[in-house]
């Protein structure tokens, strides 16, 4: 067959182009092409209403919530909505066996009943500046191979300088793999209080079975309030503080949605890697993801065994467990979908297209041959690294023990500055308090036994810490037997001061490295970390350093090659906007999924007493009575619990507002669908869906189940 070169080029370049509703756009840099596409899809707002430097706009209602979620201001009195799984840690911390808000839900009927949440904060974005030239000036002083390792320090230093004396926080983000640097200024509010949460049986209905899946019936929301000083400034918790008056408040529409409606999402997506190379995808699929999943699987089982026995342990481990389980399922699904969707092939096509374009441009010579070499050099050690970080250090005791290494080194270093040692000691003490609060010995003991054996079984014999396993065999028995590891783990837990508050405090009062070196937990942890750090971490440093330089170059080329096309940078926990439509999908041949789920589906899934599919009796009564109030969907003749859209989101977008064409809140996005779990690496234009909580279900629960009409009354409801 004769090939037409023009068409060939088009086909080759195709994967690079932004498709359908792909794109996490920096809202302050929306190009005209993207904005007019938004309008074409249905948007009824001006660019100024989306983001404005001079006037209050939607972006002022959006906050970075806690360490990695999004939330939005919905009342003039500082009320914010976010996901239940984003408030989960705060809800669990506010719970006890006697006052089990996690299990029973909680609704503050007055401001006085709200619960302060130590450590929880929200951040408003104040401004953004391009600092690419400044960063490049500093980077120029370093060899190319050192740039990756120096970059973090340079950015931190510049941020600290920019923030000095302003009362704001500054963070500089790297975009397009170091081809652009933007400086973000934030204002952080630290007095955030819990106002309301449904019981976990609503907020996490369906548990890990339904997590990352559609159809879905999870009421994934919680309600908080931001407080400030009387003049609107951030402050630590104080009874004197007053509800914060936000610059912009989202109206809440209960008019409902239909298939095809415009949907727009603002938020803080954490990370994507859409320009990952085929070599990176292969490493993920073959080694990184399966290792992580295997190890997390073992750890989760050990925890669950204790959590189901004791409600106090359930509360203690709930948030930690949920975090590990969430990405255990994600990474498993991600690897499977990357294979199913032939993403390695797609990437290879992109790479071939790039090479065709780069032909004759000396700068890009051998780019992918070098990438290949970089991956080949690292691949033999990749599993070892995962087994260290997700395995051995997946035991909380081992993780805390290993963290003492830098203190140990400083204590043994005659020229270490006393003020540095004091600072390290303070960090160790607070880390120890956190560790003890979260530590559940029975599960951790089983985790340690399990991961020590997995490390032995799965890691190349010549990479293992030899002395450790030889001694283990000599003193505890055959390395193939579970019993050996159980016995050894018991020995470690019985012979460490790290689990004992008084003993550890005594050590910190008079730190003696000889005592630390004899500690069974410390000895075990450093046997593995020292082995890795002395023998293999250099390969990892080479790998990440070289990869940084190669990726930087690759993206520089891609930007040049595509200079007339709108391009969006990978997610990096900076504010983005994306847009799409409410839309059903076909997950596989012969199956079509509806764009909504309703209360009827809760009834279908309901299993009284089940760990994941139980639901409050009162909810089931409301469903039976069809007592929907103003929250019913007329055409569904039911309450819509969730809906799906074609928006491009990822972890970090949790809690993000889903807005209609007029910028009114119609839902909270809380998940992605299983069929598109390769989305961090490759956006699939047919299969990718964002799973959103319908705001009407949320208000139905607050009002009818929680009786918290005080919350409803604060909202600007559009009926
Ligand atoms: N997959 C959701 C996300 O990452 C979190 C869902 C939490 N629920 C759960 N059952 N683990 O945003």
């Amino acid at each position: 067959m004769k090939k037409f070169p023009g068409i060939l080029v088009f086909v080759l370049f195709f994967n690079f182009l932004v498709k359908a509703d792909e794109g996490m756009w920096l809202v302050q840099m929306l190009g005209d092409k993207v904005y007019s596409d938004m309008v074409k899809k249905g948007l009824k707002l001006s660019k100024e209403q989306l983001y404005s430097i001079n006037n209050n706009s939607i972006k002022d209602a959006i906050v970075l919530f806690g360490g990695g979620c999004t939330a939005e201001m919905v009342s003039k009195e500082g009320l914010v909505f976010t996901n239940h799984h984003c408030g989960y840690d705060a809800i669990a911390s506010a719970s006890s066996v006697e006052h089990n808000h996690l299990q029973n839900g909680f609704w503050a009927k007055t401001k006085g009943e709200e619960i302060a949440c130590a450590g929880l904060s929200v951040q408003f974005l104040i401004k953004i500046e391009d600092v690419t030239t400044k960063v490049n000036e500093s980077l120029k002083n370093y060899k190319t191979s050192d740039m990756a390792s120096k970059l973090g320090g340079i950015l931190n230093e510049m941020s600290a300088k920019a923030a000095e004396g302003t009362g704001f926080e500054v963070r500089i983000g790297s975009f397009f793999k170091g081809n652009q640097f933007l400086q973000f200024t934030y204002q952080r509010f630290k007095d955030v209080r819990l106002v309301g949460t449904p019981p976990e049986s609503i907020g996490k209905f369906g548990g890990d079975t339904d997590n990352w899946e559609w159809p879905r019936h999870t009421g994934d929301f919680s309600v908080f309030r931001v407080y400030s000083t009387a003049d609107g400034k951030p402050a630590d918790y104080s009874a004197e503080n007053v509800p914060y008056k936000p610059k912009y408040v989202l109206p809440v529409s209960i008019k409902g949605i239909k298939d095809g409606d415009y949907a727009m999402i603002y938020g803080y997506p954490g990370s994507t890697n859409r320009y990952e190379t085929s070599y990176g995808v292969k490493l993920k699929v073959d080694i990184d993801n399966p290792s992580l999943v295997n190890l997390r699987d073992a750890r989760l089982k050990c925890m669950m065994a204790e959590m189901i026995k004791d409600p106090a342990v359930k509360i203690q481990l709930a948030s930690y467990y949920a975090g590990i389980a969430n990405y255990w399922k994600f990474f498993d699904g991600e690897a499977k979908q990357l294979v199913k969707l032939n993403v390695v092939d797609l990437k290879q096509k992109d790479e071939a297209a790039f090479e065709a374009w780069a032909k004759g441009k000396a700068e890009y010579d051998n780019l992918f041959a070098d990438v290949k070499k970089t991956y080949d050099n690292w691949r033999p050690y990749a599993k070892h690294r995962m087994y260290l970080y997700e395995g051995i250090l997946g035991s909380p005791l081992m993780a805390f023990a290993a963290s003492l290494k830098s203190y140990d080194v400083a204590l043994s270093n005659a020229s270490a500055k006393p003020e540095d040692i004091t600072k390290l000691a303070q960090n160790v003490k607070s880390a120890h308090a956190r560790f003890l609060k979260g530590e559940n010995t029975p599960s951790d003991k089983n985790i340690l036994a399990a991961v020590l054996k997995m490390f032995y079984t799965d890691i190349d014999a010549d990479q293992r810490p030899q002395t450790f396993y030889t001694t283990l065999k000599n003193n505890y028995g055959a390395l193939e037997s579970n019993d050996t590891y159980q016995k050894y783990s018991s020995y470690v837990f019985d012979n460490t001061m790290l689990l004992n508050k008084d003993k550890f405090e005594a050590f910190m009062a008079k730190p003696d490295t000889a005592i630390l070196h004899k500690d069974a937990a410390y000895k075990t942890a450093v046997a593995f970390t020292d082995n890795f750090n002395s023998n293999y971490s250099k390969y990892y440093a080479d790998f990440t350093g070289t990869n940084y330089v190669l990726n930087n170059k690759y993206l520089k080329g891609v930007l040049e090659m595509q200079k007339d096309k709108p391009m969006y940078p990978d997610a990096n926990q900076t504010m983005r906007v994306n847009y799409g439509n409410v839309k059903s999908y076909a997950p596989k041949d012969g199956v079509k999924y509806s764009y909504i789920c309703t209360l009827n589906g809760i009834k279908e899934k309901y299993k009284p007493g089940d760990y994941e599919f139980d639901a409050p009796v009162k909810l089931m009564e409301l469903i039976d009575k069809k007592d929907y109030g103003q929250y019913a969907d007329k055409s569904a003749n039911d309450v819509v619990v969730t809906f799906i859209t074609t928006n491009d989101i990822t972890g970090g977008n949790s809690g993000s507002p889903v807005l209609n064409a007029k910028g009114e809140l119609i839902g909270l996005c809380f998940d992605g669908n299983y069929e598109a779990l390769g989305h961090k690496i490759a956006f699939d234009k047919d299969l990718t869906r964002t799973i959103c909580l319908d705001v009407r279900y949320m208000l139905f629960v607050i009002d009818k189940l929680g009786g918290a009409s005080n919350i409803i009354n604060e909202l600007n409801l559009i009926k």
Side-chain angles (χ1 to χ4, degrees):
M1 201 176 63
K2 241 169 108 182
K3 277 188 198 131
F4 179 59
I7 291 194
L8 180 69
V9 170
F10 175 74
V11 171
L12 283 174
F13 277 71
F14 187 70
N15 286 315
F16 276 125
L17 300 181
V18 165
K19 289 160 288 210
D21 301 322
E22 174 174 0
M24 302 177 174
W25 307 97
L26 279 155
V27 59
Q28 80 286 9
M29 291 175 184
L30 272 187
D32 289 336
K33 275 192 190 153
V34 175
Y35 175 71
S36 55
D37 194 42
M38 293 170 102
V39 173
K40 208 171 89 196
K41 283 240 154 63
L43 177 66
K44 298 274 186 291
L45 300 174
S46 69
K47 245 192 195 180
E48 272 287 288
Q49 289 173 298
L50 299 180
Y51 180 95
S52 164
I53 304 179
N54 306 313
N55 298 306
N56 298 332
S57 60
I58 292 179
K59 85 112 183 44
D60 297 303
I62 316 302
V63 290
L64 176 53
F65 183 88
C69 274
T70 306
E72 50 278 351
M73 311 299 304
V74 290
S75 94
K76 285 184 288 200
E77 294 194 89
L79 205 61
V80 285
F81 286 164
T82 190
N83 287 153
H84 183 263
H85 77 265
C86 295
Y88 202 65
D89 195 49
I91 299 164
S93 300
S95 299
S96 60
V97 177
E98 299 75 43
H99 300 283
N100 202 336
H101 305 317
L102 194 63
Q103 188 180 312
N104 306 322
F106 168 78
W107 306 102
K109 302 285 161 68
T110 64
K111 297 201 176 73
E113 289 170 21
E114 295 170 4
I115 302 175
C117 304
L120 184 62
S121 64
V122 301
Q123 299 174 66
F124 288 88
L125 174 60
I126 304 298
K127 63 176 174 181
I128 307 171
E129 291 145 281
D130 193 318
V131 292
T132 312
T133 320
K134 248 162 89 185
V135 175
N136 285 341
E137 278 299 306
S138 310
L139 272 178
K140 257 194 353 222
N141 307 324
Y142 297 99
K143 285 201 309 239
T144 330
S145 54
D146 286 343
M147 283 184 179
S149 59
K150 298 294 172 198
L151 184 62
I154 293 174
L155 299 187
N156 284 343
E157 208 174 292
M158 280 178 62
S159 310
K161 214 160 140 202
E164 223 169 64
T166 64
F168 291 133
E169 288 180 28
V170 172
R171 292 190 289 277
I172 300 175
S174 160
F175 293 80
F176 298 110
K177 310 248 186 214
N179 282 284
Q180 187 182 25
F181 294 94
L182 298 176
Q183 175 172 302
F184 294 74
T185 303
Y186 298 98
Q187 187 173 34
R188 187 192 288 267
F189 286 80
K190 291 182 178 169
D191 186 352
V192 180
R193 304 183 196 172
L194 176 63
V195 176
T197 171
E200 186 176 30
S201 56
I202 287 179
K204 206 181 171 178
F205 182 78
D208 290 317
T209 302
D210 271 9
N211 190 19
W212 302 111
E213 308 270 355
W214 179 260
R216 189 67 164 274
H217 299 84
T218 312
D220 200 341
F221 75 92
S222 54
V223 186
F224 290 82
R225 192 187 304 282
V226 180
Y227 281 79
S228 69
T229 60
D231 56 353
K233 300 260 156 46
D236 286 331
Y237 171 83
S238 155
E240 313 286 285
N241 287 346
V242 300
Y244 172 67
K245 286 194 181 44
K247 290 191 213 154
Y248 194 91
V249 172
L250 295 178
V252 178
S253 169
I254 55 169
K255 286 178 153 172
I257 41 121
K258 29 177 220 321
D259 209 353
D261 277 359
Y262 179 84
M264 175 168 71
I265 295 177
Y266 276 70
Y268 280 92
S271 72
T272 55
N273 200 0
R274 298 266 164 91
Y275 290 94
E276 179 61 294
T277 61
S278 58
Y279 304 92
V281 179
K282 262 191 252 167
L283 183 74
K284 249 182 131 25
V285 167
D286 296 348
I287 298 176
D288 286 353
N289 287 29
S291 305
L292 176 141
V293 170
N294 229 353
L295 292 157
R296 286 195 176 195
D297 198 50
R299 290 158 55 200
L300 288 168
K301 286 196 176 104
C302 297
M303 285 190 257
M304 183 52 81
E306 305 305 321
M307 285 164 73
I308 45 175
K309 279 197 274 196
D310 181 348
V313 176
K314 154 84 200 204
I315 292 172
Q316 184 195 21
L317 292 183
S319 175
Y320 179 61
Y321 181 95
I324 296 171
N326 190 26
Y327 275 88
W328 154 77
K329 187 161 178 187
F330 177 86
F331 284 117
D332 189 34
E334 181 188 50
K336 288 181 178 137
Q337 301 307 334
L338 289 172
V339 171
K340 195 163 157 203
L341 301 172
N342 294 317
V343 172
V344 170
D345 281 5
L346 296 178
K347 296 288 177 184
Q348 281 170 346
K349 285 194 184 111
D350 284 346
E351 287 154 21
F354 183 84
E355 282 182 321
W357 170 84
K359 212 169 171 134
K361 300 183 176 73
E363 188 180 357
Y364 304 110
D365 265 356
N366 290 326
L367 182 64
F368 287 104
D370 291 343
V371 172
K372 177 178 185 311
K373 206 162 42 181
T374 310
Y375 276 91
D376 286 347
N377 291 343
W378 168 243
R379 226 175 134 94
Y381 315 107
K383 191 169 181 180
H384 182 158
R385 182 171 173 274
M386 291 308 281
Y387 270 65
L388 176 63
Y389 288 103
E390 283 290 333
I392 304 296
L393 303 183
S395 147
L397 175 62
M398 288 298 106
F400 176 69
S403 77
L404 297 173
K405 179 75 184 188
S406 46
Y407 186 52
D408 180 14
V409 171
L411 288 174
S412 320
N413 176 358
S415 53
K417 289 194 215 127
E419 63 267 30
D420 288 345
I421 297 193
T422 311
K423 202 161 165 225
L424 274 171
Q426 275 162 0
N427 292 344
V428 166
K429 283 179 197 163
S430 47
H432 188 247
R434 275 197 305 276
F435 160 66
L436 282 188
K437 193 161 164 256
E439 176 65 356
N440 171 256
T441 315
S443 59
D444 198 2
K445 209 187 270 185
N446 289 331
I447 290 174
L448 180 60
V451 296
L452 286 172
K453 176 157 189 231
M454 290 171 84
F455 195 100
Y456 171 76
T457 313
D458 296 347
I459 298 305
D460 281 356
D462 56 355
Q463 288 185 31
R464 284 184 222 131
Q466 307 300 347
T467 322
F468 175 82
Y469 279 103
T470 314
T471 316
L472 187 61
K473 186 168 103 195
N474 293 341
N475 296 311
Y476 292 87
L479 295 175
E480 289 70 30
S481 154
N482 287 339
D483 199 42
T484 304
Y485 298 93
Q486 285 295 346
K487 278 193 286 193
Y488 179 72
S489 186
S490 293
Y491 154 78
V492 170
F493 277 75
D494 290 343
N495 289 279
T496 176
M497 62 181 168
L498 308 187
L499 291 162
N500 184 302
K501 187 167 179 285
D502 297 336
K503 280 192 197 156
F504 192 71
E505 277 171 6
F507 165 76
M508 290 304 288
K510 235 170 133 265
D512 175 354
T513 53
I515 295 179
L516 187 59
H517 295 171
K518 273 192 265 168
D519 187 274
Y522 187 69
K523 263 190 350 202
T524 306
V526 298
F528 287 86
T529 51
D530 282 356
N531 173 50
F532 183 80
N533 291 332
S534 343
N535 304 311
Y536 307 105
S537 64
K538 56 177 180 282
Y539 300 120
Y540 189 62
D542 276 353
F543 169 67
T544 50
T546 318
N547 237 347
Y548 177 82
V549 176
L550 295 172
N551 277 320
N552 176 275
K553 205 187 275 185
Y554 180 33
L555 260 281
K556 179 168 178 269
V558 172
L559 285 168
E560 207 181 312
M561 175 171 121
Q562 308 255 74
K563 58 178 175 300
D564 301 324
K565 310 265 170 355
M567 277 185 60
Y568 66 94
D570 268 316
N572 59 358
Q573 211 184 48
T574 54
M575 193 194 282
R576 304 299 175 92
V577 66
N578 60 70
Y579 58 98
N581 297 93
V582 175
K583 202 172 171 188
S584 52
Y585 74 110
K588 55 185 171 196
D589 188 35
V591 179
K592 183 156 184 211
Y593 281 155
S594 164
Y595 66 100
I596 52 168
C597 286
T598 62
L599 289 179
N600 189 42
I602 296 184
K603 231 177 124 168
E604 287 171 2
K605 288 182 178 174
Y606 176 52
K607 275 193 227 154
D610 187 71
Y611 195 81
E612 297 183 312
F613 290 95
D614 197 4
V617 172
K618 191 166 169 195
L619 176 68
M620 302 321 289
E621 285 168 3
L622 288 167
I623 297 177
D624 282 338
K625 281 194 282 188
K626 297 194 186 293
D627 184 1
Y628 307 146
Q630 60 180 341
Y631 310 110
D633 184 276
K634 290 202 186 65
S635 57
N637 195 22
D638 199 338
V639 174
V640 173
V641 174
T642 54
F643 61 91
I644 42 174
T645 69
T646 57
N647 293 64
D648 185 4
I649 59 137
T650 192
N653 268 119
S654 287
S656 291
V658 187
L659 306 171
N660 64 15
K662 293 189 209 150
E664 298 157 351
L665 188 74
I666 51 172
L668 263 55
C669 90
F670 70 95
D671 213 356
N673 58 330
Y674 197 81
E675 297 83 6
L677 280 191
H679 75 251
K680 280 186 184 288
I681 308 289
F683 181 94
D684 187 284
K685 69 175 181 17
D686 300 317
L687 291 174
T688 308
R689 289 295 178 273
T690 286
I691 303 177
C692 312
L693 174 72
D694 192 301
V695 81
R696 293 169 295 173
Y697 177 55
M698 175 170 156
L699 302 189
F700 165 83
V701 170
I702 293 175
D703 190 348
K704 296 276 175 180
L705 191 101
S709 50
N710 53 312
I711 295 177
I712 309 284
N713 293 339
E714 274 190 51
L715 309 173
N716 173 9
L717 273 197
I718 313 284
K719 299 186 194 181

